[in-house]
Amino acid sequence: LTVSPASASFTSAGGTGTVQVTTAATCGWTASSNVSWMKITNISVTSGNGYVAYQVLANTSAARSGLLQIGSQSFTVTQQAVPAPVPQVIGVTSAASYALGPVSPGDIVSVFGSNLGPAPPGVGLQLNASGTALTTNLGGTQVFFDGAAAALTYSSAGQVNAIVPYGVAGKA
């Protein structure tokens, strides 16, 4: 017994597919799924040449894989994780006064928007790995000014506070 193709990949949206089964006319076979998110929707025959139709449900979390066992053959299905939400910045203000306007090296600024950092309550002040300075990566969030990483004091989905790097002095 052989199956074709040997595997399939799906986006997080899921979808449907078909696996062709080739075997002798008198060879009986069955098919089953080892995961709940992949359903067999049709088996054309249970002996000889045929096909197995299946459906992959939408994925709402991490990448995953499962198997369709068709006779003695394993058919592997992989599915991508849900894409990360795109950050949306709606404003950058002074963290002290919330005033809009230009920033200067050393200013502490608040960046407001959505999907900026970790879910509430967010992540507060942390030192870098050597313990000598504030981290420039807080909860997976980074802020750059003209390519220079800013030290971060707070990061959440709706607000990130950063210190404008001194390396941007004299730049527009």
Side-chain angles (χ1 to χ4, degrees), residues 22 54 59 64 88 165:
T22 305
Y54 62 95
N59 187 359
R64 58 191 182 182
Q88 300 290 322

Side-chain angles (χ1 to χ4, degrees), residues 92-149:
V92 178
T93 68
S94 164
S97 66
Y98 295 115
L100 294 170
V103 298
S104 300
D107 281 353
I108 301 175
V109 297
S110 293
V111 180
F112 293 100
S114 59
N115 304 317
L116 300 177
V123 179
L125 191 72
Q126 294 178 2
L127 297 177
N128 63 11
S130 63
T132 58
L134 293 176
T135 185
T136 58
N137 185 326
L138 199 54
T141 304
Q142 294 180 291
V143 174
F144 293 88
F145 289 84
D146 198 29

Side-chain angles (χ1 to χ4, degrees), residues 7-132:
S7 64
S9 296
F10 288 86
T11 67
S12 62
T16 60
T18 304
V19 182
Q20 297 299 317
V21 179
T22 305
T23 190
T26 58
C27 180
W29 52 271
T30 60
S32 62
S33 170
N34 75 334
V35 291
S36 62
W37 49 267
M38 183 169 41
K39 309 283 186 190
I40 294 174
T41 58
N42 190 21
I43 299 175
S44 64
V45 295
T46 56
S47 66
N49 295 337
Y51 67 87
V52 176
Y54 62 95
Q55 177 184 20
V56 175
L57 303 178
N59 187 359
T60 59
S61 61
R64 58 191 182 182
S65 66
L67 295 175
L68 286 179
Q69 190 66 43
I70 304 171
S72 61
Q73 301 295 309
S74 294
F75 176 81
T76 303
V77 174
T78 56
Q79 188 174 29
Q80 298 172 354
V82 174
V86 176
Q88 300 290 322
V89 175
I90 58 172
V92 178
T93 68
S94 164
S97 66
Y98 295 115
L100 294 170
V103 298
S104 300
D107 281 353
I108 301 175
V109 297
S110 293
V111 180
F112 293 100
S114 59
N115 304 317
L116 300 177
V123 179
L125 191 72
Q126 294 178 2
L127 297 177
N128 63 11
S130 63
T132 58

